Amino acid sequence: LPYETPMPLHVAPPGGSLSTASRHAALQRAFNDRLREWHWQRNSGTYYQVWHPPGVIFSCLKKEHHEYGRSVPALQEWGFAAESDMPCRLIINALGGRWAVWKAMQQKEEQWIVADGDGSHLFHAFVRAMNSYGLDAQEPETSFPNLRLLHAHAQSAPRFFPKGFLRSLHIHMPWPARASRPFRKALVNSNFVTAAAEVLEQRGELHIVADSEKTVSEACAALTQTKLFSPCLAFPFHVADVPGSYRGSELLKADLASIGHGNSAGNLFYSSWEKR
């Protein structure tokens, strides 16, 4: 598709039945009700819940996956269109939802999945998707045609899909390792890279956008060590600022600003890899 300058992801409410403020409040109530219901069901032992329409999947987070193993809905339950040959792309971390929803709207011949364990970030993406696709705030009759929102821990998200299923994986603002307590590994570590390689198709794409050169350098080191991916950029395998080939970078910066990210005005760093 030809590149066009991204426009604000907002359309008039369907039928003009609700004002903008009332529509936002209705969407907030609907999302919070489903999220509370999911927390209750999760505490009761349920592994996942599919909200269809409009197309939101609530799943167990990291602790439950570690304890019970991978237990997720079959892809047939996600309510995607029947075309099985549509390429599928996974975005990890919704941020403010602008970039993710814009990509899904621009490339409607592809399926897009946004995974985020932060309910507030996923809500931003939900509101933008509901407005962009023009779905009714109170009783949507259809789901997003080519977009699904997945409430799941970023570390576990690639394991939701069968081998070779994804065309590309987009990792936005991966967290770095943390040496102080509680200790935490970097998101892009050897285990994550191995899981990503399993679910990507041959020559599938892996893109990283980070706000720290140290973070993206550590991610490149993990990708290099596994030998499962080939870099698409010359050494040191990343560049300052997002290149024009990765369209919509201004939306990523707007996403960071909207969620109060401390480095929203600073440089972003980009790296691109291809599965061997």
Side-chain angles (χ1 to χ4, degrees):
L1 293 175
Y3 178 63
E4 299 176 357
T5 302
M7 299 299 291
L9 293 177
H10 174 78
V11 296
S17 56
L18 293 174
S19 68
T20 300
S22 298
R23 177 175 170 80
H24 185 87
L27 290 170
Q28 190 171 40
R29 284 195 301 272
F31 187 88
N32 287 341
D33 286 348
R34 288 288 181 163
L35 187 59
R36 282 194 294 269
E37 180 183 345
W38 160 240
H39 286 313
W40 182 84
Q41 290 193 8
R42 185 182 65 177
N43 292 335
S44 301
T46 303
Y47 291 152
Y48 60 83
Q49 175 180 305
V50 180
W51 182 15
H52 172 62
V56 183
I57 296 91
F58 297 97
S59 174
C60 294
L61 301 181
K62 188 174 182 180
K63 179 179 178 180
E64 285 79 10
H65 274 283
H66 178 76
E67 183 176 354
Y68 300 114
R70 185 166 67 96
S71 181
V72 297
L75 289 173
Q76 293 85 348
E77 297 182 44
W78 292 43
F80 268 135
E83 295 88 340
S84 59
D85 59 342
M86 292 177 67
C88 187
R89 302 181 186 273
L90 172 63
I91 303 168
I92 291 182
N93 293 334
L95 306 179
R98 289 175 176 83
W99 190 90
V101 175
W102 175 72
K103 291 296 287 186
M105 294 292 292
Q106 284 284 305
Q107 299 174 212
K108 294 183 178 181
E109 75 285 0
E110 299 178 338
Q111 296 174 338
W112 290 81
I113 298 171
V114 182
D116 202 314
D118 188 316
S120 63
H121 293 176
L122 204 67
F123 171 70
H124 288 308
F126 168 73
V127 171
R128 295 187 186 283
M130 292 292 286
N131 289 339
S132 296
Y133 287 100
L135 301 188
D136 185 82
Q138 297 169 316
E139 296 183 2
E141 298 180 354
T142 61
S143 286
F144 313 126
N146 65 323
L147 174 68
R148 290 296 176 269
L149 305 179
L150 174 62
H151 187 247
H153 194 279
Q155 190 77 50
S156 305
R159 302 183 184 277
F160 280 52
F161 307 98
K163 292 183 178 181
F165 180 74
L166 298 177
R167 174 69 54 85
S168 65
L169 175 58
H170 305 257
I171 308 166
H172 294 162
M173 304 304 127
W175 62 75
R178 183 171 58 204
S180 60
R181 295 186 177 180
F183 302 114
R184 180 183 66 187
K185 291 184 178 180
L187 171 59
V188 185
N189 57 51
S190 58
N191 291 335
F192 181 89
V193 172
T194 300
E198 288 183 357
V199 297
L200 282 169
E201 64 184 32
Q202 198 65 30
R203 303 190 67 179
E205 308 163 10
L206 189 148
H207 303 272
I208 301 172
V209 179
D211 62 344
S212 161
E213 187 170 14
K214 181 181 178 182
T215 300
V216 76
S217 295
E218 292 175 347
C220 290
L223 285 154
T224 302
Q225 291 168 3
T226 61
K227 300 180 180 180
L228 297 171
F229 290 84
S230 299
C232 299
L233 299 171
F235 184 82
F237 312 137
H238 65 270
V239 294
D241 215 348
V242 181
S245 58
Y246 197 72
R247 299 181 296 178
S249 60
E250 61 273 32
L251 293 177
L252 286 173
K253 292 180 180 180
D255 276 339
L256 293 178
S258 69
I259 62 174
H261 197 280
N263 195 35
S264 60
N267 284 337
L268 297 179
F269 298 87
Y270 172 79
S271 185
S272 179
W273 299 72
E274 182 179 86
K275 178 182 172 181
R276 290 176 172 171

